[in-house]
Amino acid sequence: MSNEDSNNKSQSEKKFNAIEYLNYLISESNNPSDIEKLEKISKMLNSKKYGLVWEEHPEKVEEEMKSKIPVFLENKCKKIHDSDSEDFNFLLEGDNLHSLHLLEKTHLGKIDVIYIDPPYNTGNKDFKYNDSFVDEDDKFRHSKWLSFMERRLKIAKKLLSENGVIFISIDNKEGYQLKLLLDEIFGYKNMAADLHVETSAVAGPRRFAAMNGSVVKTTEFVFAYSNGNTQIIKRPLYDSVLGYDTHYSKFDDTDKGIINLSDKINSELKIKNEFLNAHLKVDMPSLNKLIQVNSTVKNWIYSEDISKRIFRIGDKLNSVNSEDLSTLSSHHVKRLNNKYVILNKNNNPVSIFRYYDRIGTADDYFNSYGERTLRGNLWKGFSSDGGNLSSEGGVKFKNGKKPKRLIKQLIETCTSGKETNVNVLDFFAGSGTTAESVMELNNENKGNYRFILANNDEVIDTTYQRMVNINKEVPMNLKYFKTDFIDKNTDDLETKLLSNIKALVELKHGVDLNRSDIAIVNKRDDLNKLDLSKISTIYMRSQTHKMLNRELLKELVDIDIIDIPETFFAMEMKEAGL
């Protein structure tokens, strides 16, 4: 081989990205016309664009599906059946792309809440692509991650119900790229929230970094997207507020009418003495200080009898008719059209706000009772959960364990609690926090939830152990499925596919087909083997159901027949010519 041929071969074997390859072609070309065209293409590729542009990377698990069909096999040894309910949850072992592919057959448009905590791609052995960890020196580090996430998120969107919500935890390593990717997949108008969750404090080594001039990261993102309805809050959350809002300075006294709150305090000798003993004047700024440290004052202010008569003055009302106006007074508060109203000194109606409606139990780490405010996109205080995080679920998990309180609140706030069988999916299940969150919400009577977890075989033992631990506290029903494969070129493909429909039926309906009163019928011969007197429900292929004669249909009249979709393996059978 000549040196020239050798050089050409070495050049052709180099791995180029698109722009590098164009530059290589330009350098090698001797044709001015070709060079001009190539330079034009290069300029177009280098021109500024809005949105994500990245180098696509093939993935082994996706390539595998070109020759093999993923199916689920049940590991019956790991089945848990301790709940009084007959509804089942599911733990899916295998690459989550395969699991999502199968869920696309069973749960298209049926998942109400998705929570995922994907690899953050820190370069510290947290993200594996094609069986190799992606380190921080990999020049395709971000494009591999985006290729990985895009495939899974596109399926996730299909799984979401009409009013479903997906929550994704991420930090600033990939957060900004993820935001653009989510905009492309779900539509930028369907972003419901960019939550900023306080996950750590400026303490320990972080404190030294901060003192030396670094801006220390204490929050992470949780992005929320929907399929169209971005008003996702069904049950609002509250944050506690320290001190006393001094705008609430009026008191509706039964005998004296509207007076200053400080006058009411002066008339209560026990409460007044608390101020005097603290060497404070009886006024609103002093109340703000004292209520934070003095339980006597705090309990008095928060008591129903007192707090319901403390008010702050609001805005003038212009829509009060003359009849209602005649009933109003400047001396006492009146409830009018769902508002509290009094007359001001000019005899104009003004709205006022009741202090009682400002206090309640907050959704913070301590469930504090007192003043609170509606939570926005800043979710504070989850660094407090860190102290117990390692012990949550009774399992250790090296990286990425999320606070149970966080996931419980995400699920709770976007569901009303009145829905039946809310399907919650986590396909980066990690230690299984989502499952425990779901079971605790059920146990607290905050809703009716079922979970599906998907995890790879590297951490699945940890996930399953947490299910065992949860079951000791809150009994559950769980089926454990593992991904297996059927070769597309096998001779008996249809028979093998039909034998694997049972797992998909169980997954779709959240049931256990091993119950004696439930049966699955793929072919008419299966029906002949059944003692119909003991059967309450039959899951039957639509094709088989249509072929039954009148006599058989009469025998089945008292049995609940549920169709098995022909779409479960329709595409695979069509490709095989079946």
Side-chain angles (χ1 to χ4, degrees), residues 4 13 19 76 125 204 208 265 306 316 364 378 381 390 410 436 450 519 538 573:
E4 185 178 352
E13 287 178 347
I19 294 172
K76 294 181 180 180
K125 293 188 175 181
F208 293 115
I265 293 172
I306 297 299
K316 180 181 175 182
D364 58 13
L378 176 59
S390 62
L410 289 172
E436 186 166 0
R450 296 189 299 199
I538 294 178
M573 289 186 181

Side-chain angles (χ1 to χ4, degrees), residues 396-434:
K396 292 184 178 180
F397 197 69
K398 187 176 180 181
N399 292 311
K401 204 175 188 184
K402 289 296 184 288
K404 181 174 54 182
R405 183 169 68 94
L406 170 63
I407 300 178
K408 283 178 69 174
Q409 290 185 1
L410 289 172
I411 296 170
E412 181 182 357
T413 195
C414 70
T415 54
S416 70
K418 299 175 183 178
E419 307 95 338
T420 56
N421 293 329
V422 176
N423 290 313
V424 180
L425 170 65
D426 183 348
F427 53 89
F428 287 97
S431 71
T433 308
T434 299

Side-chain angles (χ1 to χ4, degrees), residues 5-18:
D5 290 337
S6 178
N7 288 336
N8 287 338
K9 183 179 180 184
S10 63
Q11 288 287 353
S12 65
E13 287 178 347
K14 281 186 176 180
K15 291 184 179 178
F16 294 108
N17 64 33

